[in-house]
Every structure is written in structure tokens, then in C-alpha cells.
Amino acid sequence: WILQPFSIYLLFTCLWPLPVLYFAWFFLDWKTPEKGGRRSAWVRKWCAWTHIRDYFPIMIQKTKDLSPEHNYLMGVHPHGLLTFGAFCNFCTEATGFSKIFPGITPHLATLSWFFKIPFVREYLMAKGVCSVSQPAIDYLLSHGPGNLVGIVVGGVGEALQSVPNTTTLILQKRKGFVRTALQHGAHLVPTFTFGETEVYDQVVFHKDSWMYKFQRRFRGIFGFYFCGRRRRLKEEKILTLAPFLFPSLLAVGEPLPLPKIEKPSQEMVEKYHALYMDALCKLFDQHKTQYGCSETQKLLFL
């Protein structure tokens, strides 16, 4: 974000060829985010990511190995406000993803318009972030094997409901990712990040309030929303950008093998969507008591 105004400033100096060359290359390189991106092992290993990992701390736990002979479509739950767990585990090597899952190349999908922003796109691609657009996902799942694409299925709608002590997921009607997995014969992998909704105490506005209407308007234009975040400090709730120091563990479930069907029927999509939700519930129930949830707590699907 700093480089953008700086590059505009350079246009009015003797160094004007530098931003001109970059923007010329920017347009020539326009399609790269939809063709696997351009990841950098050096960027993924920056020491800054280990500080983020240790701040909460953030951890990853696998329940089954992922064979590098297959491609995978991974559902990431819940969204939370900023998806700290998925970012640290899939976009960096701070938690040792490549050692835990050798031969697997992770990609975390995010909003497509981020890749239309100069310099920001380079930063995202270097970490292995990909566009959530259909062409980008199709490209990764049709190449490989060993590619893994993580999709935060609940999206912004789920983020709006991200408050502490909740396990509500927007998944009931989100079936497009299952159809895509069937079309490529990719294995579906459920994940759940315990502690993701605890790092911020989000200010939830009433549906009739002007702030809630502003959030919806903002979301409609930009694809994400403007939120109010707060935390308790000295017995008072104050607005802040700093998250709680709350342990975050991303549990990776057992992969669900899917057949490759070029044009899957709605019945097939429904069948494997139901199997995926069952697998996600099983994963949650296996780990919930270890990470602060009660024995009776269940996932709620909207």
C-alpha cells in the first residue's frame, strides 16, 4: 500500500521510467494469478511470520496424511474476522506445513479483485495466495498432482457472525466447492480452526442501525466489510486493532475421496456435500473438548 502512492510520486521525477516499466509489465502479467501465481519460498519463510505464530500462538494438527499423488480442495472453517489460522498455516512456513504434509503445495483462495491492485498482487502471489475465481481454482486442480486449494467457504457472511463462543458456519447452501471438486476428482478435506472466533470481540450492529446498513453497502461494493472490533482492557471495552492472545489450532481432517465427474448431477453434489458436513462435524467433535469447547457444543449450519 505504501508502494502505490510512492510509484505515482516517481512518475513526476527523473525516475519515471521505473513505474512506467512496472505498470507495463503489470498488464502483460495480468493472467498470472489465474495460472498458478508466482510463489516465493523466501517470502513464505520471513521471520515476521514466526512472530505472528508465536503471538497467539498458532498451531496445526493433522489427523491423516495427504498423499502427494492427489489434488485437494480444502474447506476452511470458520472465517473469523481475518482468518489468522489459515493465513499462518497455508501462506507461510511458520508452522512447518511443508514438513507436516510433504509434497503438498498449499494455496489459500481470496477475493479476485485483490489481484488487480498493483504490488499487492505480487505480495499475495509470493505467499501462495490464489484468486477464488473459477478459472484460478480449475487451473490448480487440473495441474499437479500435489496441489491443495483452501477455500474459506463461509465468506464474508460468516465473518459478520464471528463473535466469541460461537460455532455457526454458513455451509448449508454453499455447494459450489463440492461441484468443483467432483469435476476434477479432487479430494475434499475438512478443516476447523479452534480459537479463530476468539481473537476479536466483534461489535455486532442491529439490522435496523445505520452502521449495519453501511456494512452491507460497503460489502456490496468492495466484497468485504468494515467492522468494529473491541477487546476488554482494564475492565472496559475499547475499540482496538490488536487481537486477543488466544491459542489457535487448525485441525486438518481426513480427506474424502471423490470420483471425477465432468458434469456432476445435483444429486451427486448433494450426496458428497452431506458427507463433507458429516466429516466436518466428526472432526470438530474429536477435538472440541481439548480446545475450550464443551462436550455438548455442536456445529450449527446455516
Side-chain angles (χ1 to χ4, degrees), residues 147-300:
N147 279 325
L148 180 149
V149 180
I151 300 178
V152 190
V153 181
V156 179
E158 192 172 278
L160 278 167
Q161 303 180 33
S162 177
V163 293
N165 302 316
T166 60
T167 52
T168 301
L169 305 179
I170 297 181
L171 182 60
Q172 194 75 45
K173 297 180 180 179
R174 302 286 174 93
K175 302 173 183 177
F177 72 105
V178 178
R179 183 180 299 278
T180 298
L182 282 166
Q183 289 171 339
H184 294 278
H187 292 198
L188 277 177
V189 182
T191 70
F192 191 90
T193 306
F194 293 90
E196 186 68 57
T197 60
E198 309 297 324
V199 297
Y200 280 114
D201 183 9
Q202 182 177 194
V203 181
V204 179
F205 300 100
H206 191 273
K207 291 186 177 181
D208 294 329
S209 67
W210 69 268
M211 192 60 189
Y212 180 83
K213 295 176 181 177
F214 170 74
Q215 282 182 321
R216 289 184 61 87
R217 182 80 174 184
F218 191 92
R219 173 188 172 186
I221 297 173
F222 296 103
F224 63 98
Y225 74 104
F226 183 87
C227 64
R229 294 166 285 188
R230 64 190 179 189
R231 63 180 292 181
R232 185 172 295 277
L233 185 65
K234 294 182 179 179
E235 304 303 321
E236 295 181 3
K237 288 187 175 181
I238 62 170
L239 293 178
T240 179
L241 295 177
F244 286 110
L245 280 69
F246 198 93
S248 173
L249 179 128
L250 189 145
V252 180
E254 183 177 355
L256 177 65
L258 269 64
K260 185 175 181 179
I261 305 174
E262 186 175 348
K263 295 182 179 180
S265 64
Q266 187 60 34
E267 290 75 16
M268 289 293 291
V269 174
E270 296 279 355
K271 172 187 174 181
Y272 285 101
H273 184 265
L275 290 174
Y276 176 83
M277 289 198 299
D278 289 342
L280 182 58
C281 288
K282 179 182 177 181
L283 177 68
F284 177 77
D285 290 338
Q286 284 178 339
H287 299 279
K288 62 183 180 183
T289 56
Q290 303 173 47
Y291 300 103
C293 298
S294 67
E295 183 67 39
T296 58
Q297 196 161 4
K298 301 292 182 182
L299 291 180
L300 175 63

Side-chain angles (χ1 to χ4, degrees), residues 1-2 8 25 32 41 52 60 65 85-86 92 119 129 136 140 167 182 185 192 194 196 198 221 256 273 284 290:
W1 298 107
I2 296 173
I8 295 174
W25 176 79
T32 298
I52 293 176
I60 186 170
D65 290 328
T92 80
F119 302 109
V129 179
L140 291 169
T167 52
L182 282 166
F192 191 90
F194 293 90
E196 186 68 57
E198 309 297 324
I221 297 173
L256 177 65
H273 184 265
F284 177 77
Q290 303 173 47

